[in-house]
Amino acid sequence: KVAQMIGYPLEISTNGFEPKPNVNQPYYDVMNDYIAYTQYELNAATGMACLEYCHRRNINEDIIKRFQIGYAPAQEKSYHYLKAKKYSDEILLDTGLIREGNDGYTSTFFDRLMIPIHDENGNPVGFTARIITNKEGAPKYINTSQTKIYEKSNLVFNYHRAKDFARKNIVVSWLREPWMSLPWKKPISMKVLLVWEQPVRQIRSIY
């Protein structure tokens, strides 16, 4: 603008400039593919029980779509799908989608309602998964373990969707639970019980 004001011709060449590739993009790609797969399975015959569970809990189609809720089917199906997409075992281990046991590799999540977790920029980095059928000894919830792209203590759930809305509409006290004051459609929830430094820094950056 200054150059225009004084009549000085200014040309900025972008020749040869290439943005630096994101080293985590391959991980985000596999996570996005798996999210799409779980969304498909939720609406398939195998996901009927999970979809009915959603409806019983007043999780309607709008919520399902907005939060990319899906269903992880029987243990072998997810792994077979991911291998059919040509993903290596290494990257599947690195993203926490599979685990290694005595009988080889198996899916981390199966027969569970799947809720994706994103970083502050909206990149998918993990899952929280709820059991939908009573199985003795099975935990109600399981979450992605720490991976190269997911560190629980650094995340605020739904931050990437709610930050713009919250910046314009909400002022809260940081001595209280910040997510309690937010409108239902744009909830921010701490992913951990303790108020870690990084999540609080993210929320403060809204203001």
Side-chain angles (χ1 to χ4, degrees):
K1 290 183 178 180
V2 174
Q4 292 175 353
M5 290 173 61
I6 64 176
Y8 184 84
L10 180 64
E11 294 183 3
I12 301 175
S13 175
T14 58
N15 292 338
F17 173 78
E18 293 183 4
K20 187 177 181 180
N22 190 328
V23 296
N24 290 327
Q25 192 59 51
Y27 303 126
Y28 302 146
D29 290 343
V30 65
M31 295 295 282
N32 275 317
D33 269 347
Y34 190 57
I35 289 171
Y37 173 67
T38 62
Q39 290 178 298
Y40 169 82
E41 286 291 336
L42 180 63
N43 292 286
T46 52
M48 185 176 298
C50 185
L51 189 59
E52 290 175 352
Y53 169 84
C54 290
H55 293 161
R56 289 198 305 271
R57 299 297 296 269
N58 295 319
I59 303 173
N60 59 34
E61 296 301 323
D62 179 61
I63 298 172
I64 290 172
K65 183 177 180 180
R66 182 185 302 141
F67 290 93
Q68 299 178 293
I69 293 172
Y71 170 68
Q75 193 161 359
E76 71 280 357
K77 287 191 69 176
S78 290
Y79 181 55
H80 290 167
Y81 166 80
L82 292 166
K83 293 302 293 182
K85 295 285 290 185
K86 307 300 182 183
Y87 289 115
S88 67
D89 289 331
E90 180 181 7
I91 196 170
L92 298 179
L93 286 169
D94 285 345
T95 51
L97 293 179
I98 66 171
R99 56 191 174 189
E100 188 174 8
N102 295 331
D103 298 325
Y105 297 114
T106 58
S107 302
T108 302
F109 307 102
F110 54 95
D111 196 22
R112 287 179 178 270
L113 181 147
M114 302 289 288
I115 304 173
I117 301 168
H118 299 78
D119 66 16
E120 62 186 275
N121 297 312
N123 298 307
V125 294
F127 291 93
T128 186
R130 193 195 193 283
I131 198 168
I132 58 170
T133 56
N134 293 325
K135 294 181 180 178
E136 187 175 352
K140 181 180 289 187
Y141 288 94
I142 59 174
N143 302 306
T144 298
S145 301
Q146 183 167 318
T147 67
K148 292 184 176 181
I149 58 173
Y150 176 69
E151 187 173 348
K152 181 168 63 174
S153 62
N154 285 345
L155 294 174
V156 179
F157 180 75
N158 201 43
Y159 175 87
H160 68 293
R161 296 188 185 97
K163 58 184 178 182
D164 291 337
F165 182 88
R167 183 182 294 113
K168 296 175 182 177
N169 295 276
I170 306 226
V171 176
V172 297
S173 168
W174 299 114
L175 296 178
R176 300 180 181 179
E177 295 176 332
W179 55 91
M180 296 300 293
S181 300
L182 295 170
W184 177 83
K185 288 188 177 182
K186 295 287 184 181
I188 295 180
S189 172
M190 286 293 185
K191 193 66 186 68
V192 289
L193 295 178
L194 297 178
V195 183
W196 296 85
E197 179 181 358
Q198 181 64 23
V200 170
R201 187 182 300 118
Q202 288 179 355
I203 297 177
R204 281 176 175 166
S205 71
I206 293 174
Y207 305 100

